Amino acid sequence: MAVRKRKSAKNEIFLLDALKDLCAEKEIPPEVMFNAIETALVFACKKTNGADKNITVEIDRDNGTFHVTELRDVVKKVNNPQREISLNDARRINPEYQVGDVVKKDIPAVDFGRIAAQAAKQVVAQKIREAERIVVYDEFTDKANDVANGTVIRIEDNGDLVVSIGKTEAVIEVNEQLPQDKFNVGDRVKGYVSEVHKVGKGPQVFLSRTHPNFLRRLLEMEVPEIQEGIITIKSVVREPGIRAKIAVASNNSNVDAIGSCVGQYSVRIQPIVEELGDEKIDIILWDEDPANYIANALSPAKVMRIAVNELDKIARVVVPNNQLSLAIGKEGQNARLAARLTGWKIDIKSKSQAKDNDLDSDYRVAKVKGAKFFSSLIKQKQPKPKKDKFKKNNNSNAENENVNVENSNLENSDVENENLRADENPNVENSTDDNSKVEV
């Protein structure tokens, strides 16, 4: 490798073209590459001319030519001849030099030996690797709080998954995996980019499949109305792999928030349920009135009456006797998720236990609207194929209307028809005492 004065424009053009191609291939800014080559040339020059010399290299960004310059400080008494020059010697070059000035001396054509050239090559390679790490780190810093797709390349002894996600690797720790997740090497996997750390060997990316925002991002990807801002996701809570609740609101009165998220015949929500290992998902309508919001959050149970203490954020809910277990859920799951979703403490009582005079003046008894919700606990009916396409079947039309999520207000009888009564639903822990009281 040699640095010589350019005899023609061919070498400059070749250098610039090579730099452009390399920058495009590595996705590195051109200035980073110029700095890397300048550093490498300085290193090579010191190998040839002396390691203690103060040498700089500047590459012209327009035509590719470069200049090698030796710098020495003007002093009265020289202690380091490699970096200093006496005032008398400096004034022989230019009479105007003063102590403290810097004498610049251009170094002409330099021939590097094999060792110097190899060292310069290693410096350039190191700088390129560092630049690539920075580019990848910046890329995944921008992708934080987003969903990443990758391929499982290794499974650690402790159960952690190592996933290839393009230019780097990510880790899904065992506690960030769903209980029913079973991946093998080569399987495709999705995860939420929860953390990105900058370490010596490059960015360290951590993915999560249990984070509530993983469900949020999956829903945003499936529902165009959310991406367009027509529908807003107000809150998401999960018990990963088991059950989740999502509160949504529509910014357009002509758009049904729940129906848009579910899709016709669950075409939008079903891929998300499958991605999460059949995790049961409830989508409820957010309401600015906390009473209606809490009633919706307790779906699919029907709320008969609700009293709210807005100062302490406590709600007392009355449900039918045969729906107390449904409101509470298996091991308190439904009530617990509803409390986390709304941010309220919820006290649930059955109708037989509730009393009209057990409320103090801090509570406001609210009128409850019919709950609007979708629950994957409830198996949605599919349309029956028509035997005669020219024959109108009024019964089929009526059945399809009942399946339409946009108009679904499930009453107590609807829940019973779907085998979701408290005494029959296998997903709900039965209560042996109708007078039991549960606080969340």
Side-chain angles (χ1 to χ4, degrees):
M1 178 178 179
V3 179
R4 304 179 184 278
K5 289 185 178 179
R6 303 298 188 240
K7 296 181 180 180
S8 66
K10 291 183 178 180
N11 290 331
E12 295 102 7
I13 295 174
F14 174 78
L15 176 63
L16 293 177
D17 290 343
L19 283 178
K20 289 179 181 179
D21 293 341
L22 188 59
C23 290
E25 178 184 350
K26 302 291 185 179
E27 297 183 3
I28 298 175
E31 187 63 26
V32 174
M33 292 299 304
F34 279 116
N35 292 336
I37 294 176
E38 288 173 347
T39 303
L41 291 175
V42 168
F43 190 82
C45 287
K46 287 184 176 183
K47 281 279 188 181
T48 303
N49 295 278
D52 198 36
K53 287 189 175 183
N54 186 8
I55 296 176
T56 63
V57 176
E58 294 182 0
I59 300 177
D60 191 304
R61 272 53 170 169
D62 295 326
N63 55 34
T65 59
F66 64 89
H67 305 279
V68 181
T69 306
E70 179 185 355
L71 306 178
R72 290 198 288 177
D73 297 328
V74 179
V75 296
K76 290 182 179 180
K77 184 179 179 180
V78 176
N79 295 318
N80 184 353
Q82 298 289 334
R83 288 178 171 266
E84 297 173 344
I85 185 173
S86 67
L87 180 61
N88 293 331
D89 292 341
R91 285 182 172 174
R92 291 191 186 99
I93 300 173
N94 188 340
E96 296 183 358
Y97 275 127
Q98 301 293 332
V99 174
D101 291 343
V102 177
V103 176
K104 297 181 179 181
K105 179 184 177 181
D106 290 338
I107 298 179
V110 178
D111 288 328
F112 298 134
R114 180 182 62 83
I115 296 177
Q118 185 66 23
K121 179 180 178 182
Q122 292 175 354
V123 171
V124 172
Q126 179 183 356
K127 292 294 183 181
I128 290 176
R129 285 195 298 269
E130 291 176 357
E132 285 181 304
R133 293 190 192 109
I134 294 174
V135 170
V136 175
Y137 174 77
D138 292 340
E139 176 185 352
F140 281 94
T141 300
D142 295 338
K143 288 184 178 180
N145 304 322
D146 205 348
V147 172
N149 295 282
T151 304
V152 178
I153 59 174
R154 190 169 68 255
I155 301 176
E156 303 290 357
D157 294 337
N158 62 355
D160 293 352
L161 300 179
V162 181
V163 182
S164 173
I165 49 174
K167 297 180 181 179
T168 189
E169 296 177 357
V171 177
I172 306 180
E173 296 178 332
V174 66
N175 60 337
E176 295 296 332
Q177 301 171 30
L178 299 177
Q180 58 270 46
D181 279 348
K182 292 182 181 179
F183 292 103
N184 298 313
V185 174
D187 290 348
R188 298 287 297 173
V189 61
K190 289 182 181 179
Y192 173 76
V193 182
S194 57
E195 297 179 42
V196 180
H197 300 304
K198 193 173 185 179
V199 294
K201 294 183 178 180
Q204 190 173 22
V205 183
F206 291 91
L207 304 182
S208 172
R209 289 175 56 80
T210 63
H211 200 288
N213 283 342
F214 183 42
L215 174 55
R216 180 190 292 267
R217 292 289 179 259
L218 290 176
L219 192 62
E220 290 174 349
M221 293 165 60
E222 289 288 341
V223 183
E225 290 84 354
I226 297 178
Q227 301 173 19
E228 296 169 3
I230 300 174
I231 295 174
T232 303
I233 300 176
K234 292 291 187 178
S235 182
V236 179
V237 293
R238 295 178 66 193
E239 292 197 354
I242 303 173
R243 195 170 177 183
K245 284 183 180 287
I246 307 172
V248 296
S250 176
N251 300 317
N252 187 333
S253 58
N254 296 323
V255 177
D256 176 27
I258 298 176
S260 298
C261 292
V262 176
Q264 189 175 21
Y265 308 126
S266 304
V267 69
R268 291 179 175 177
I269 197 65
Q270 191 57 37
I272 300 176
V273 173
E274 294 173 357
E275 176 65 35
L276 300 180
D278 288 333
E279 181 174 315
K280 305 305 179 185
I281 300 175
D282 298 344
I283 302 179
I284 64 104
L285 188 64
W286 178 87
D287 199 301
E288 60 183 4
D289 185 347
N292 287 321
Y293 186 25
I294 293 169
N296 291 343
L298 287 171
S299 301
K302 178 183 177 182
V303 173
M304 298 177 61
R305 189 180 64 196
I306 183 170
V308 294
N309 181 341
E310 299 187 12
L311 181 63
D312 298 326
K313 285 195 170 183
I314 301 175
R316 294 184 176 177
V317 178
V318 178
V319 298
N321 293 335
N322 68 338
Q323 292 208 5
L324 179 61
S325 295
L326 185 60
I328 296 171
K330 184 178 182 180
E331 299 177 354
Q333 189 180 84
N334 190 61
R336 185 167 56 250
L337 287 173
R340 289 170 51 195
L341 186 73
T342 60
W344 282 60
K345 180 180 179 182
I346 303 176
D347 176 12
I348 304 174
K349 295 181 180 180
S350 63
K351 180 181 178 181
S352 60
Q353 182 185 9
K355 298 179 181 179
D356 294 333
N357 57 355
D358 61 352
L359 300 177
D360 54 39
S361 58
D362 293 334
Y363 284 83
R364 171 178 64 89
V365 178
K367 293 182 179 179
V368 180
K369 301 176 183 178
K372 296 182 179 180
F373 72 96
F374 163 86
S375 177
S376 58
L377 285 169
I378 303 174
K379 185 177 180 181
Q380 301 298 308
K381 297 178 182 178
Q382 296 297 326
K384 295 181 179 179
K386 296 180 180 180
K387 295 181 179 180
D388 187 354
K389 64 180 180 179
F390 299 103
K391 182 179 178 181
K392 293 183 179 180
N393 191 333
N394 294 328
N395 294 331
S396 297
N397 293 335
E399 179 179 321
N400 289 339
E401 291 175 1
N402 290 333
V403 176
N404 188 349
V405 179
E406 298 180 0
N407 299 321
S408 63
N409 279 333
L410 295 185
E411 301 296 337
N412 185 26
S413 59
D414 296 326
V415 176
E416 292 178 354
N417 289 337
E418 293 296 340
N419 294 325
L420 280 175
R421 289 180 299 174
D423 56 346
E424 294 181 1
N425 183 14
N427 294 316
V428 179
E429 183 180 44
N430 291 328
S431 173
T432 57
D433 185 3
D434 287 338
N435 295 326
S436 62
K437 174 183 176 182
V438 174
E439 291 187 358
V440 179

